[in-house]
Amino acid sequence: MMDTTPYELLGGEAGLRKLTHTFYDVMDRLPEAKEVRDMHDGNLDSIKERLFEYLSGWLGGPQLFRERHGSVCITSQHKKFSIGPAERDQWLMCMDVALDEVGASAETKAMLKEPIYRLADFLRSDKQRA
Ligand code: HEM
């Protein structure tokens, strides 16, 4: 259907929660994601929920992050971290693996690839040095 949102394609609330929780489990597990993992808090429970809330709105579902935390600027939330191409790519790799693990279709993955890359690239903190 033309008006299906990515949020719906990923299985709505339950599907997206599964994806974001799996995402941080992957980050926690993969040695290749160690640098990015180490930038995060020891306990990933609250950020699992925050990524779920954020992506819910970003993917065309309910604007949960805004409703619960106000209109937080996601860019400024990342300024304090040192995010270059390597960190961006580790983050994106975790998302790729998580999408596979939740069984996202090839169409869904293809549709998300560019926009997710642009979002992650936008959060880089080394842009002026690139
Ligand atoms: C598409 C890309 C990304 C999205 C949608 C995203 C989303 C988020 C969200 C929603 C939060 C929680 C903000 C809050 O607490 O209010 C967060 C925090 C964070 N993000 Fe990202 N992020 C992205 C990319 C990255 C990348 C590339 C890195 C690289 C290291 C990163 C590192 C972090 C860290 C370290 C935190 C803080 C975690 C903590 O306090 O434990 N993020 N991100």
Side-chain angles (χ1 to χ4, degrees):
M1 232 164 70
M2 294 288 287
D3 58 353
T4 303
T5 61
Y7 176 81
E8 286 160 356
L9 284 174
L10 284 164
E13 178 176 346
L16 185 59
R17 186 174 269 116
K18 180 123 189 284
L19 174 66
T20 53
H21 286 225
T22 302
F23 169 80
Y24 286 110
D25 289 341
V26 168
M27 187 186 283
D28 204 28
R29 200 178 72 215
L30 287 191
E32 305 94 297
K34 188 178 178 340
E35 284 81 12
V36 163
R37 169 64 185 99
D38 287 348
M39 290 164 78
H40 290 76
D41 208 58
N43 185 313
L44 295 169
D45 291 348
S46 77
I47 194 165
K48 281 178 173 174
E49 199 57 17
R50 286 192 163 221
L51 184 64
F52 159 69
E53 293 166 348
Y54 183 81
L55 288 182
S56 175
W58 190 75
L59 292 165
Q63 297 281 347
L64 300 177
F65 197 90
R66 189 183 300 161
E67 285 165 19
R68 293 173 191 173
H69 312 291
S71 44
V72 176
C73 168
I74 201 75
T75 320
S76 65
Q77 293 292 93
H78 287 81
K79 284 240 168 71
K80 58 181 174 290
F81 305 113
S82 175
I83 305 179
E87 289 76 16
R88 173 199 66 200
D89 290 346
Q90 285 185 16
W91 195 102
L92 290 168
M93 178 193 61
C94 295
M95 187 52 82
D96 273 349
V97 174
L99 283 164
D100 281 337
E101 288 193 6
V102 301
S105 71
E107 291 77 11
T108 305
K109 286 192 282 185
M111 183 181 63
L112 290 173
K113 201 171 175 65
E114 260 306 301
I116 291 243
Y117 174 87
R118 281 201 302 271
L119 181 58
D121 194 58
F122 188 69
L123 297 177
R124 273 171 50 199
S125 51
D126 69 334
K127 275 180 275 203
Q128 47 295 30
R129 284 182 275 125

